[in-house]
Amino acid sequence: MFPPNGRVPSLCRFSEMASGSLGLQLPRSTRVKNKTAAAIQITAEQILREARERQEPEIRPPKQSITDSDDLADYRLRRRKGFEDVIRRARWKTGTWVAYAAWEESQGDIARARSIWERVLEVDYRNPTLWLQAAAFEMRIRCINHARNIWDRAVAFLPRVDQLWYKYAHMEEILGNVAGARLIFERWMDWQPDTQGWLSYINFELRYNEVDRARAIYERFVVCHPRPSSFIKYAKFEAKRGEIARARAVYERAVDLLSEDEEAEQLFVAFAGFELWCKEMERARCIYRYALDHLPKGRAEDVHKEYVTFEKQYGDTHGIEDAIVRQMRLKYDDEVRKNPFNYDSWFDYIRLEENGGNKDMVRELYERAIANVPPAEEKRYWKRYIYLWINYSLYEELDAQDMDRTREVYRECLKLIPHKKFSFAKIWLMAAQFEIRQRNLKVARQILGNAIGMAPNDKIFKSYIEIELHLGNVNRCRILYEKYLEWAPANCYAWLKYTEFERTLNETERARALFELAIAQPALDMPELLWKKTKPWIMRFRRIIMILKSNKGKRIERCRGVFERAFDYFRKNVPELKEERAMLLEEWLNLESSFGSLGDISILQSKLPRKVKRKRPISSEDGTRTAAFEECMDYIFPDEVALAPNMKLLEAAYKWKKQKIATDEN
């Protein structure tokens, strides 16, 4: 008993308590004072060897010799008592039961051995090994009826253990009881065993040349297990016996029932191989093609390999090409299945099908392709995708010649594009041009009007104006130009095209007013283009002056005012465009010279620039400066001299260099 506080005393304390209670004086443990190594060392191997040498011999029971019946009876009694004692202690140990029964069998006591087997079968009737050993015991002592009794009980208790049925039927077949064995197989088939059980029954009937019975079993077999492998075995059975028509019927039946099965590929390969064995090349080719058309692409690889091999051996050029096309189809289908957003693979796949000429297949492929909408609403992701719609519409219009489907493709495409974030002018224009080709001008104008309202674009305006210009609708062109300029008032290209349009109509006042409006805009993207275009108008004014004799001064002053305004614009707003300003002054000077006595060149003398050569560093592609320099022309205007304090020094250097060059030349 432990103390009340629950603390266990130490070993030393416990020994002291024990010695004190018993009145014993235990010796104290001595400490080792000298811890140096001994002179004679001993190894672990030596210790083990000595322990083995000093081990006592094993005690074995003495041998008993039986001299008479009494000794034998005494021996049997002791052994039986030992077995019964073990069984009483551990009834579930089947090994003891089996050893007990085997010992009784060795003693020739069949009744006791059979009793032991019956007892152990009651203990563990779910153990098939015990049933097999018990039946083997009865068969060894040639007690057939007892063995049948055990087999009947075994298959009744464990009908799903195939080995019991195999052994039972095999025993009856060995005994020559064919009818009994057949009855056992029939009982077994009622439980619908696996494939091997049916095949065992079929092989049993074939061993006795019962072909009709075997065929009937095959019919029941394919009903119980409707799998391609079952029908293939049935068909091979018929083909092996020369029943070609029956074998073909079995294959055709299997195709009708199992064409969508996961193992259907195996069935088609076997069917085509059967027709090839029968020398029916066209039948085999049709089977291959039917399989490739109806099987999913991921489950037709073996069929395709066999088909390519078949065409190489027995086909012509067309057949080989067809096999290659099917191989490419499988390749592209695998690519788009792995990555449906790989639009280049879709383009190749569609092009392959378009060359084949199957409209339904091409349309199905286009529908599959356009269903893969880019996940992000960013234009860079849509640039390749939108060409799927473009190719689809062109295919329907040009190849399929289905105008209703073409119109529907354009409508669905425009509905899909997120125009609030980005748009594609090409789609709008193609849809409008398609309607024009169909002589449906009203719908085309409606499409272009929607484009301007939902997603205005330079290209849309230009194309729409060009269409109306070809149709001769001047007022519509003016309206479009006005819409164009309302949308982009800083677009110099639009202003210039509008003025050119009015010039072609001889609307001089309109053109002049447009130029006035253009240069009055607070911001322009390329003002130099606008001012350069004043030259044709100046030449036109010159011709007008030569024709008209009155109001000459007013027209010259108007032209001069245009140049003045242009020069002021370049000088104040874009002073860095020196070359453009110099070109403008050159044109102005030429015009003043052409006026003759009415011209005034003196007003330009104080404005003309001077050309100078300068060196500037050459920059690399990444923007960094290099050690090299290049020569360039620069323009120095008189109004800049007052702003540059060092300009006089530059002029002196320039004059000195010029004089030096002249001296060297002399």
Side-chain angles (χ1 to χ4, degrees):
M1 294 293 292
F2 293 122
N5 58 4
R7 299 176 64 183
V8 180
S10 63
L11 182 61
C12 297
R13 181 64 178 168
F14 185 78
S15 61
E16 293 177 359
M17 292 169 60
S19 60
S21 61
L22 297 176
L24 298 176
Q25 187 68 26
L26 297 178
R28 292 184 179 181
S29 59
T30 58
R31 294 183 179 180
V32 179
K33 297 181 179 180
N34 187 5
K35 295 183 180 181
T36 59
I40 300 175
Q41 297 292 323
I42 187 170
T43 62
E45 181 182 0
Q46 186 176 357
I47 295 173
L48 293 175
R49 185 171 62 251
E50 291 179 358
R52 185 175 181 80
E53 291 175 354
R54 298 176 183 179
Q55 187 176 4
E56 296 180 357
E58 183 180 357
I59 300 175
R60 296 181 179 179
K63 293 183 179 180
Q64 297 180 357
S65 59
I66 300 173
T67 58
D68 54 10
S69 58
D70 293 336
D71 293 340
L72 179 60
D74 184 57
Y75 164 72
R76 289 176 176 174
L77 180 61
R78 289 197 307 272
R79 289 299 303 272
R80 285 173 182 145
K81 185 177 182 301
F83 279 120
E84 292 293 341
D85 291 341
V86 174
I87 290 172
R88 193 180 302 109
R89 290 194 299 268
R91 186 179 179 83
W92 61 88
K93 289 187 177 181
T94 57
T96 306
W97 290 97
V98 173
Y100 191 8
W103 181 82
E104 291 291 357
E105 183 181 359
S106 66
Q107 297 299 314
D109 197 339
I110 304 301
R112 284 182 177 273
R114 183 177 291 121
S115 175
I116 293 168
W117 283 115
E118 292 294 336
R119 289 167 62 192
V120 70
L121 289 176
E122 290 180 1
V123 172
D124 190 6
Y125 69 91
R126 291 187 179 88
N127 191 344
T129 305
L130 294 178
W131 291 102
L132 292 172
Q133 291 177 343
F137 160 73
E138 297 293 352
M139 291 167 64
R140 281 196 303 272
I141 62 177
R142 299 181 183 278
C143 293
I144 304 303
N145 290 331
H146 282 282
R148 286 189 179 118
N149 180 271
I150 290 176
W151 288 124
D152 284 333
R153 287 186 291 158
V155 297
F157 282 121
L158 304 172
R160 294 298 180 185
V161 181
D162 295 341
Q163 192 176 8
L164 298 176
W165 294 101
Y166 284 129
K167 294 288 186 178
Y168 193 7
H170 181 62
M171 184 193 75
E172 295 294 349
E173 188 176 2
I174 290 175
L175 296 174
N177 187 8
V178 178
R182 184 176 292 118
L183 182 60
I184 293 168
F185 274 116
E186 287 295 334
R187 289 172 59 191
W188 188 13
M189 296 306 110
D190 292 339
W191 289 95
Q192 296 182 353
D194 60 1
T195 301
Q196 194 58 41
W198 289 94
L199 295 179
S200 299
Y201 190 12
I202 292 168
N203 293 332
F204 165 77
E205 296 293 354
L206 292 178
R207 284 196 292 271
Y208 298 98
N209 295 324
E210 295 289 345
V211 178
D212 293 336
R213 286 180 178 273
R215 183 175 292 116
I217 296 169
Y218 262 120
E219 289 290 338
R220 295 163 58 191
F221 170 46
V222 296
V223 172
C224 180
H225 298 284
R227 292 194 291 264
S229 57
S230 304
F231 282 94
I232 292 172
K233 289 181 174 61
Y234 188 11
K236 288 182 177 179
F237 162 77
E238 297 291 358
K240 187 177 181 180
R241 280 149 187 81
E243 298 289 343
I244 304 300
R246 288 178 180 271
R248 184 173 291 120
V250 171
Y251 276 120
E252 291 174 354
R253 192 165 122 206
V255 170
D256 293 338
L257 292 174
L258 306 173
S259 59
E260 297 181 358
D261 191 84
E262 293 183 357
E263 300 178 358
E265 182 182 15
Q266 179 184 359
L267 175 63
F268 285 110
V269 171
F271 194 5
F274 164 75
E275 296 294 350
L276 188 60
W277 178 72
C278 297
K279 308 298 181 183
E280 294 287 348
M281 306 304 173
E282 290 301 323
R283 283 179 175 270
R285 181 176 287 108
C286 292
I287 292 169
Y288 280 126
R289 291 181 178 177
Y290 179 85
L292 292 173
D293 292 338
H294 290 79
L295 286 178
K297 300 300 186 295
R299 298 205 303 262
E301 295 180 0
D302 293 340
V303 175
H304 187 266
K305 291 179 182 178
E306 295 292 336
Y307 179 48
V308 172
T309 304
F310 168 79
E311 289 294 348
K312 288 180 179 179
Q313 292 180 352
Y314 306 102
D316 53 3
T317 305
H318 177 73
I320 295 174
E321 290 178 355
D322 182 68
I324 294 173
V325 168
R326 292 178 183 275
Q327 183 177 8
M328 295 300 295
R329 185 180 292 121
L330 286 176
K331 174 188 173 184
Y332 290 137
D333 193 79
D334 183 63
E335 289 180 0
V336 299
R337 186 173 63 253
K338 291 180 180 178
N339 184 10
F341 298 105
N342 186 1
Y343 300 119
D344 292 332
S345 298
W346 283 111
F347 289 133
D348 296 336
Y349 196 180
I350 292 169
R351 193 178 301 113
L352 178 70
E353 295 298 343
E354 287 179 349
N355 294 333
N358 190 337
K359 292 183 181 180
D360 294 334
M361 189 173 293
V362 173
R363 284 170 176 166
E364 179 185 357
L365 200 57
Y366 268 119
E367 293 294 334
R368 287 174 55 194
I370 62 178
N372 299 294
V373 181
E377 291 185 351
E378 296 183 17
K379 192 169 185 177
R380 59 194 177 103
Y381 297 118
W382 286 64
K383 287 183 178 180
R384 294 293 292 167
Y385 169 73
I386 205 66
Y387 275 95
L388 290 172
W389 288 94
I390 293 174
N391 293 346
Y392 192 8
S393 61
L394 294 177
Y395 172 78
E396 292 292 350
E397 182 181 2
L398 301 178
D399 295 344
Q401 296 183 355
D402 191 338
M403 305 309 163
D404 293 335
R405 287 184 67 92
T406 306
R407 186 175 290 109
E408 185 64 24
V409 170
Y410 281 122
R411 186 182 298 114
E412 292 299 324
C413 179
L414 292 174
K415 189 185 300 182
L416 180 65
I417 299 173
H419 299 288
K420 293 183 178 180
K421 295 184 178 180
F422 59 86
S423 185
F424 293 93
K426 190 177 186 68
I427 294 294
W428 291 103
L429 295 176
M430 289 183 66
Q433 290 166 0
F434 165 75
E435 296 296 345
I436 292 174
R437 288 193 294 271
Q438 305 306 313
R439 299 186 179 184
N440 196 348
L441 186 59
K442 182 179 179 181
V443 177
R445 284 172 173 162
Q446 183 179 1
I447 292 172
L448 292 173
N450 291 336
I452 292 174
M454 297 174 64
N457 184 276
D458 288 332
K459 193 173 182 180
I460 294 175
F461 278 110
K462 294 174 186 177
S463 300
Y464 196 2
I465 292 170
E466 185 179 357
I467 292 171
E468 295 295 350
L469 188 60
H470 287 166
L471 296 175
N473 295 322
V474 176
N475 293 331
R476 284 184 176 272
C477 291
R478 284 174 176 158
I479 294 173
L480 291 174
Y481 272 121
E482 291 173 2
K483 294 289 185 182
Y484 193 2
L485 293 173
E486 287 179 5
W487 174 67
N491 192 337
C492 289
Y493 176 85
W495 288 104
L496 293 176
K497 286 296 180 181
Y498 196 3
T499 55
E500 289 177 3
F501 169 72
E502 294 294 350
R503 187 190 65 179
T504 56
L505 300 176
N506 294 323
E507 294 287 348
T508 307
E509 295 300 328
R510 282 180 174 271
R512 183 180 294 112
L514 288 173
F515 270 119
E516 295 290 341
L517 289 174
I519 62 178
Q521 296 299 318
L524 294 173
D525 54 359
M526 290 186 292
E528 63 275 9
L529 293 179
L530 191 63
W531 291 110
K532 285 180 182 179
K533 288 298 180 178
T534 58
K535 181 179 178 181
W537 286 97
I538 295 170
M539 300 304 295
R540 184 173 179 83
F541 293 154
R542 182 183 175 188
R543 289 195 294 269
I544 293 173
I545 292 170
M546 297 298 293
I547 296 173
L548 300 175
K549 300 298 184 180
S550 62
N551 295 330
K552 294 181 181 179
K554 289 184 179 181
R555 292 186 178 274
I556 292 174
E557 289 298 330
R558 184 175 294 177
C559 293
R560 194 173 288 145
V562 172
F563 276 109
E564 286 283 356
R565 291 166 62 189
F567 181 77
D568 291 340
Y569 175 83
F570 278 104
R571 183 171 59 85
K572 296 178 180 179
N573 295 339
V574 282
E576 68 276 2
L577 300 179
K578 294 184 178 182
E579 185 176 0
E580 286 77 4
R581 199 189 333 173
M583 292 172 59
L584 180 67
L585 290 174
E586 184 179 357
E587 293 294 335
W588 189 1
L589 181 61
N590 294 334
L591 185 63
E592 292 289 350
S593 300
S594 65
F595 287 158
S597 61
L598 297 178
D600 187 3
I601 301 176
S602 62
I603 61 177
L604 296 175
Q605 295 297 330
S606 61
K607 296 181 180 180
L608 292 175
R610 179 164 50 84
K611 289 185 179 180
V612 294
K613 286 185 179 180
R614 290 187 178 179
K615 291 183 179 181
R616 61 184 177 189
I618 300 175
S619 300
S620 60
E621 295 181 356
D622 56 355
T624 59
R625 291 188 176 184
T626 61
F629 290 85
E630 63 177 356
E631 288 188 352
C632 63
M633 297 300 298
D634 194 9
Y635 296 90
I636 300 176
F637 290 88
D639 55 351
E640 295 178 351
V641 175
L643 299 176
N646 298 326
M647 190 60 66
K648 292 183 179 181
L649 181 61
L650 293 175
E651 289 180 358
Y654 176 74
K655 289 180 180 180
W656 174 81
K657 185 175 182 181
K658 190 174 182 180
Q659 292 175 0
K660 184 178 180 182
I661 293 172
T663 304
D664 294 340
E665 289 178 354
N666 295 330

